[in-house]
Amino acid sequence: MEEDNHQDGEAQEVKISDSQPESIPPADILLGNHECPEPVEGNHSTADDRNQSVDSQPSHVGAEESGLDADVPPHLGAKLEPEETKDSDCLNNMSTHLDGTETEVRVTDNDQSDSGEFVVTMLAKAKLEEQGIGVKGRPSPLLEAGIQESPSFKSQRDEDVTTDSWRQHRKHVFVLSEAGKPIYSRYGSEEALSSTMGVMMALVSFVQSGDNLIRSVYSEEHTVVFLQKGPLVLVCVSSSRQSEQQLLGELLYVYYQIISMLTQASISRIFEHKKNYDLRRLLAGSEKILDGLLNLVDSDPSFLLAAVHCLPLASSLRDSLSQILQKAITPNLVFSILIAKNQLLTIVQEKTVIEDARLEPADVHLLLNLIGASSAFQAGEIWTPICLPLFNPDCYFYAYISYLDPPECTVCLLLLSTDKEAFYAVAECKRKIEEAMLTQNSLSLIAKAQLYSVNQVGVSDLRHFMYKPFDVPDNYRQLTQFTSPEMEAPYSNEEEKMRLLDLYRYMHSRIHSTSRPLKLIYHVAEKETLLAWVTSKFELYTCFSPLVTKTCAITAITKLLRWIKKEEDRLFIRYPPKYSTTPNPSKSSKSSKSEQQDSTDNGYLSPL
Amino acid sequence: MPDLSKMKKPDVKVVLLGDMNVGKTSLLHRYMERKFKDTVSTVGGAFFLKQWGPYNISIWDTAGREQFHGLGSMYCRGAAAVILTYDVTNWQSLAEIEERFLSLTDTANHDCIYALVGNKADLTDPKVHLSQDADGQTKDPTGGDEERTEPQVLSAVPTPPASPTSFSGLVLHKQVTRDDALSLYERILRYKGLDEKSSLPADKMCFETSAKTGYNVDVLFETLFDLVLPSILRKRHENRESPTVDLEDSGGVGSKRARSSCC
Ligand SMILES: Nc1nc2c(ncn2[C@@H]2O[C@H](COP(=O)(O)OP(=O)(O)OP(=O)(O)O)[C@@H](O)[C@H]2O)c(=O)[nH]1
Ligand SMILES: [Mg+2]
């Protein structure tokens, strides 16, 4: 390693930042009143709330940012009616290019800027010194035994980390232990990267020792974001131009996915017990789950919005499905979830569980990712422990996963129990559900359900939108949802889809900027015009054809909101049903570590 | 058809155990669906029902990852047969059977049958490819059957059985010999406190298979199914009055709850 590099002086371009870099204000017109920013309701807020309660590290976004903004009292009641937008004469055209001056660098209270350049030199410019290819199919015993896998098997983990193509990945993600042991790398094997990880670790501990928790480093091309959660350090090296907060949010999802497999309690225990434990022993085989998560994070706006997307369905059909789930219960069953085409159809919860906690979108995202990653078992019925980190980071649920429509396998039933031994009882619930769905012909009705086209809204210039109400009526404080039409031309190919998502991400970062949150942004991009608007009731992102006028856009949004109101029953899960399976099941699932649901129950710690 | 079989209660339980990546899921997939497909490392365990004549055999495909180790004894509870699987190209995977998996079978039936299976034989033994036909497996080495990149050289060969010479130079070193397996089997019997003479002979219960070509896969499962028949009949007899078979109660040691509730 070359720690000495950080002595080099010139660090004009690159600084370590404790806050999000603000892009240049004149680029966009700021609407709404700055004096009354609403509490940021982004995907990080819920997560961060939890962080603080479960983690004493002060290094996370939520905690410090509130300090920065202390002079701006959070204002809850601000309401922006659509008409108000007319008042703003400052809506004007501006063409902000995402590739513009966004790399403006913030100098902050941290004067360790030389190390900033150090890490950027090391990571962003990726002058990696690693030798050898470190080919590694997966960390299997096959390899431990010294057998070379043949070169015909190439996955992203086998990538040669010395090549340009490796460096050019849009977003690298690394996970390492506090002691600097590599745990996960999105591209290339952790082994091949171990010296890079070492460098990152050296940097993290260097800054930590100065009482200055490093959070992010910017260069012209890359943003490097660090997140420490308990004994794990997560690093993202991104050229995606997302905000620090968004990247932190994504790292948090990675952390939570790891927690969902191992629980927070067992991870802390492992590292308390042995500081340089090689966590890959326990995570071996889970790389595909993390890879899948990161791909979803990049391609599915559910993660950005921290909300779930349900499949549009006639409310009568959704209700009948819910009733079917509601009737097929067994002791200790706490959640029954029906999924089609990777989207929610309905969720039914145990009564007492619903009282003291709600299912967080992030937990649902992790579950959906797990199901997606285990598609190999479509024919069988899976029974596996899983932790819902936002619900309770220290305990396991037992998930029963089975497809209801083999061999197509698009409709998936997920039943969560708190009882490890309940497989046969839970499998019996599935039989009941299957039977009921057969008599009601539900499967063929579900098969007809699909995403809607934006044309149904009947607004000519509207190309796409994402609408996230903070409260779906009759679903008070339940599951945060959003609705969005299919991405159609010109966003039908992957590249264009990604470009639109990037624009949304940009709008999202402006709306949720910690130092200058905005309520309304009108953004004229090269090939489209976007309008993002957040009120106390909803968050809305719209994409119009490029030539739409402001007035047009605003009328269009009024129309859109009216349409959504009219379609609400179909677009969202309302009246979430409940059932009661046990006198007191929530006690065992939601309660403290002292309960029997403790992770040792699963013997996960048996290697220790 | 699968729905009908699922309505019935399983008569007997067979469990696949072994280190991650040895090919448990692939073996089962080959047997059930006659295919060799890309797999994802198993999470927890996956339950399958196989109709065997008039009987319903439940098969648990378990995860080999250390992460799920603690669940193994649950999946094994009341098992009538356990398939201990290793990878013939990986000596450590054989050692893991003794170190990690054997103790999980403490919850199995007293008369549980053990099979020791060395998978991926195609990697070390070219004959395995040729014997595919003799084995009576579905011969479908084309297209859809192997729709993926694989961690071994053979995938470079479009139709392996048609060109046996093309891989002759690329055969992997076999790390586990049949003798290693036989002697492990003896040790398993000893661990179980079983008498070698009255037990099934090692020769009969040690298999080498290839999920990839199908070599010996049917033989393995069908030998086991035949061997567990007495167990099925006995259980049917025991449960004559209540047709509901409770797998949890059929032999093995008692509930593990007491042990597991502590921190
Ligand atoms: N050449 C060859 N490869 C095989 C064979 N069986 C499995 N594999 C490969 O070995 C890898 C692991 O196979 P799996 O069936 O997923 O292994 P597993 O034992 O179920 O692993 P876990 O679920 O993690 O415990 C896959 O890449 C398979 O394609 C075989 O007979 N021959
Ligand atoms: Mg498997």
Side-chain angles (χ1 to χ4, degrees):
Chain A
M1 281 190 289
E2 303 164 62
E3 286 90 339
D4 291 340
N5 281 1
H6 65 67
Q7 302 300 350
D8 297 356
E10 26 164 335
Q12 316 301 27
E13 288 184 36
V14 182
K15 309 277 154 91
I16 292 172
S17 164
D18 271 359
S19 70
Q20 189 186 346
E22 204 45 58
S23 55
I24 298 157
D28 278 328
I29 297 306
L30 321 177
L31 280 188
N33 43 6
H34 301 166
E35 295 80 40
C36 305
E38 299 198 6
V40 178
E41 282 276 351
N43 52 340
H44 320 301
S45 60
T46 46
D48 287 331
D49 292 345
R50 299 287 182 137
N51 293 346
Q52 285 161 36
S53 58
V54 297
D55 193 321
S56 55
Q57 294 289 347
S59 61
H60 316 302
V61 226
E64 282 184 33
E65 237 75 58
S66 54
L68 286 175
D69 286 343
D71 52 326
V72 195
H75 181 60
L76 282 159
K79 280 182 193 166
L80 254 188
E81 295 306 322
E83 299 78 54
E84 272 192 50
T85 52
K86 294 179 202 137
D87 299 343
S88 63
D89 50 349
C90 41
L91 264 184
N92 74 54
N93 286 354
M94 73 308 280
S95 96
T96 309
H97 302 288
L98 277 174
D99 344 302
T101 42
E102 294 293 319
T103 41
E104 188 205 357
V105 168
R106 286 282 121 161
V107 183
T108 65
D109 52 334
N110 190 327
D111 53 349
Q112 312 286 2
S113 46
D114 46 353
S115 62
E117 190 198 35
F118 165 64
V119 85
V120 169
T121 316
M122 289 308 298
L123 302 172
K125 300 224 168 114
K127 296 261 159 65
L128 296 171
E129 306 281 74
E130 279 78 12
Q131 301 297 320
I133 301 179
V135 173
K136 184 165 184 301
R138 49 198 83 172
S140 72
L142 196 76
L143 288 143
E144 278 154 27
I147 299 271
Q148 290 273 319
E149 294 224 61
S150 88
S152 67
F153 178 66
K154 270 264 171 192
S155 79
Q156 60 187 34
R157 213 155 303 290
D158 296 322
E159 226 178 297
D160 182 344
V161 302
T162 59
T163 59
D164 274 342
S165 65
W166 182 83
R167 284 168 220 164
Q168 274 154 18
H169 284 297
R170 178 180 145 107
K171 196 182 286 164
H172 284 274
V173 173
F174 308 96
V175 181
L176 46 162
S177 75
E178 224 174 352
K181 278 235 188 271
I183 293 169
Y184 170 78
S185 161
R186 185 180 188 182
Y187 304 104
S189 77
E190 310 85 17
E191 256 119 52
L193 288 164
S194 58
S195 65
T196 309
M197 298 242 193
V199 168
M200 284 184 237
M201 212 45 241
L203 179 82
V204 170
S205 49
F206 170 67
V207 181
Q208 268 172 348
S209 67
D211 268 353
N212 238 327
L213 281 177
I214 186 166
R215 272 226 319 264
S216 54
V217 179
Y218 298 88
S219 81
E220 237 161 84
E221 285 151 32
H222 289 86
T223 305
V224 184
V225 176
F226 295 85
L227 172 67
Q228 174 151 20
K229 293 292 291 172
L232 302 186
V233 176
L234 298 98
V235 184
C236 174
V237 180
S238 169
S239 56
S240 65
R241 309 218 165 275
Q242 287 170 266
S243 71
E244 173 192 337
Q245 253 181 320
Q246 287 172 348
L247 295 172
L248 273 175
E250 296 182 1
L251 286 180
L252 210 47
Y253 279 118
V254 174
Y255 174 71
Y256 285 144
Q257 188 83 69
I258 294 174
I259 292 301
S260 80
M261 298 183 268
L262 298 175
T263 76
Q264 188 164 266
S266 61
I267 290 181
S268 333
R269 221 166 325 164
I270 285 167
F271 285 104
E272 261 163 40
H273 197 262
K274 203 171 163 221
K275 257 204 147 15
N276 63 349
Y277 184 82
D278 187 352
L279 201 62
R280 280 176 305 168
R281 261 182 75 179
L282 289 179
L283 282 178
S286 310
E287 302 86 354
K288 278 190 189 171
I289 292 176
L290 294 176
D291 294 347
L293 177 79
L294 286 167
N295 292 339
L296 273 181
V297 160
D298 281 341
S299 62
D300 180 349
S302 310
F303 290 84
L304 176 73
L305 295 174
V308 299
H309 195 198
C310 74
L311 198 66
L313 216 58
S315 61
S316 58
L317 176 55
R318 206 186 305 274
D319 289 348
S320 74
L321 293 173
S322 305
Q323 277 159 20
I324 290 173
L325 296 187
Q326 216 171 352
K327 282 180 194 142
I329 53 174
T330 181
N332 298 314
L333 191 67
V334 284
F335 290 108
S336 305
I337 303 175
L338 206 52
I339 297 146
K341 298 164 187 153
N342 295 317
Q343 290 171 72
L344 284 182
L345 288 174
T346 184
I347 293 193
V348 186
Q349 292 175 296
E350 217 285 334
K351 265 201 185 80
T352 38
V353 169
I354 224 165
E355 267 164 25
D356 53 5
R358 58 175 181 161
L359 197 54
E360 291 292 335
D363 284 341
V364 176
H365 294 154
L366 300 177
L367 280 172
L368 291 181
N369 179 51
L370 179 82
I371 291 171
S374 40
S375 58
F377 315 113
Q378 288 175 345
E381 298 162 62
I382 298 169
W383 184 245
T384 185
I386 176 122
C387 162
L388 301 181
L390 290 154
F391 193 83
N392 183 339
D394 299 325
C395 87
Y396 281 113
F397 285 100
Y398 294 86
Y400 171 92
I401 305 170
S402 177
Y403 285 90
L404 298 175
D405 61 338
E408 284 81 22
C409 298
T410 55
V411 182
C412 182
L413 176 68
L414 175 63
L415 301 172
L416 290 176
S417 169
T418 54
D419 181 4
K420 180 184 178 181
E421 310 281 339
F423 173 80
Y424 294 98
V426 173
E428 201 43 48
C429 294
K430 181 220 170 178
R431 314 274 175 269
K432 283 188 204 153
I433 290 166
E434 231 171 13
E435 230 170 280
M437 286 178 69
L438 197 68
T439 45
Q440 301 190 16
N441 199 25
S442 316
L443 280 180
S444 62
L445 295 173
I446 291 171
K448 286 185 202 129
Q450 51 186 328
L451 283 176
Y452 53 95
S453 158
V454 71
N455 296 329
Q456 289 182 29
V457 182
V459 177
S460 56
D461 283 318
L462 186 64
R463 287 179 175 179
H464 191 260
F465 67 88
M466 306 194 294
Y467 173 81
K468 171 185 162 186
F470 290 135
D471 269 317
V472 176
D474 308 307
N475 193 355
Y476 181 69
R477 283 191 54 73
Q478 293 307 324
L479 190 64
T480 311
Q481 302 173 46
F482 78 102
T483 187
S484 190
E486 218 168 338
M487 282 204 183
E488 292 164 282
Y491 308 109
S492 32
N493 71 42
E494 287 310 309
E495 220 167 282
E496 285 299 294
K497 243 178 225 172
M498 195 51 125
R499 202 175 57 77
L500 177 59
L501 283 176
D502 280 342
L503 286 164
Y504 281 149
R505 280 189 265 259
Y506 169 71
M507 302 293 273
H508 177 275
S509 73
R510 302 301 310 273
I511 290 269
H512 294 283
S513 152
T514 41
S515 50
R516 194 179 288 106
L518 304 177
K519 284 188 190 306
L520 184 61
I521 307 171
Y522 182 74
H523 175 83
V524 180
E526 233 171 291
K527 297 181 184 161
E528 53 273 292
T529 294
L530 292 106
L531 204 151
W533 185 23
V534 60
T535 76
S536 61
K537 297 215 171 97
F538 62 79
E539 198 170 318
L540 174 67
Y541 298 87
T542 51
C543 170
F544 294 93
S545 48
L547 297 176
V548 77
T549 64
K550 272 165 286 170
T551 345
C552 270
I554 285 156
T555 337
I557 285 181
T558 316
K559 261 192 185 170
L560 171 63
L561 291 174
R562 224 176 280 142
W563 181 83
I564 292 171
K565 185 85 204 140
K566 192 170 78 147
E567 300 288 322
E568 220 160 43
D569 275 347
R570 192 169 67 92
L571 302 180
F572 299 104
I573 301 176
R574 301 180 65 180
Y575 316 107
K578 303 165 194 182
Y579 50 64
S580 179
T581 53
T582 23
N584 226 345
S586 63
K587 283 285 174 323
S588 58
S589 57
K590 181 63 190 169
S591 63
S592 67
K593 300 166 194 177
S594 60
E595 292 283 341
Q596 56 152 31
Q597 283 304 316
D598 188 65
S599 51
T600 39
D601 193 27
N602 298 290
Y604 274 39
L605 288 176
S606 52
L608 292 181
Chain B
M1 171 210 71
D3 297 62
L4 273 179
S5 67
K6 278 179 186 174
M7 304 304 290
K8 294 168 194 154
K9 290 281 174 185
D11 292 298
V12 79
K13 177 156 145 183
V14 175
V15 183
L16 279 154
L17 287 183
D19 205 352
M20 100 176 235
N21 211 34
V22 299
K24 300 177 293 298
T25 304
S26 303
L27 278 171
L28 193 55
H29 207 270
R30 165 59 80 183
Y31 179 65
M32 304 279 285
E33 317 239 318
R34 330 298 303 166
K35 278 184 197 143
F36 181 63
K37 269 198 1 198
D38 199 4
T39 58
V40 181
S41 180
T42 305
V43 293
F47 175 90
F48 296 82
L49 259 189
K50 170 76 186 173
Q51 195 120 37
W52 179 246
Y55 310 109
N56 290 302
I57 295 177
S58 66
I59 306 175
W60 275 100
D61 173 27
T62 65
R65 283 143 69 175
E66 206 168 318
Q67 186 198 338
F68 297 105
H69 187 75
L71 290 165
S73 52
M74 185 190 87
Y75 297 123
C76 284
R77 184 159 314 135
V82 171
I83 304 175
L84 295 159
T85 320
Y86 63 92
D87 171 349
V88 291
T89 66
N90 178 354
W91 197 84
Q92 185 59 30
S93 72
L94 185 81
E96 291 288 329
I97 288 182
E98 226 171 343
E99 283 162 27
R100 253 189 327 130
F101 295 100
L102 198 51
S103 63
L104 298 179
T105 64
D106 292 356
T107 53
N109 280 353
H110 320 288
D111 56 355
C112 180
I113 292 159
Y114 296 87
L116 191 54
V117 176
N119 188 40
K120 306 200 187 179
D122 58 282
L123 292 180
T124 59
D125 194 350
K127 280 205 305 284
V128 166
H129 294 273
L130 297 168
S131 56
Q132 187 180 24
D133 294 33
D135 193 39
Q137 291 292 329
T138 37
K139 289 157 283 195
D140 186 16
T142 46
D145 205 14
E146 289 161 28
E147 45 195 31
R148 69 219 186 84
T149 49
E150 292 160 44
Q152 79 285 84
V153 288
L154 295 167
S155 58
V157 184
T159 51
S163 52
T165 45
S166 59
F167 53 77
S168 56
L170 302 164
V171 168
L172 273 177
H173 175 59
K174 183 164 178 169
Q175 292 205 349
V176 183
T177 66
R178 185 160 173 81
D179 282 344
D180 294 333
L182 293 172
S183 70
L184 173 59
Y185 185 79
E186 309 288 314
R187 289 202 297 282
I188 291 170
L189 292 184
R190 234 171 292 141
Y191 174 86
K192 290 278 144 194
L194 297 170
D195 177 27
E196 264 176 56
K197 293 190 189 84
S198 58
S199 304
L200 295 159
D203 207 36
K204 191 175 174 203
M205 299 313 291
C206 292
F207 297 82
E208 285 190 359
T209 60
S210 166
K212 185 178 163 131
T213 67
Y215 171 75
N216 238 357
V217 176
D218 284 0
V219 175
L220 163 69
F221 284 101
E222 284 162 14
T223 306
L224 275 184
F225 293 167
D226 282 339
L227 287 169
V228 296
L229 273 184
S231 190
I232 295 175
L233 295 173
R234 198 198 60 224
K235 193 185 288 164
R236 283 213 165 173
H237 181 75
E238 280 167 7
N239 291 285
R240 231 181 350 188
E241 253 127 59
S242 63
T244 322
V245 177
D246 189 350
L247 289 168
E248 302 306 304
D249 288 343
S250 52
V253 298
S255 168
K256 284 240 151 190
R257 271 160 191 276
R259 194 219 87 209
S260 55
S261 58
C262 69
C263 293

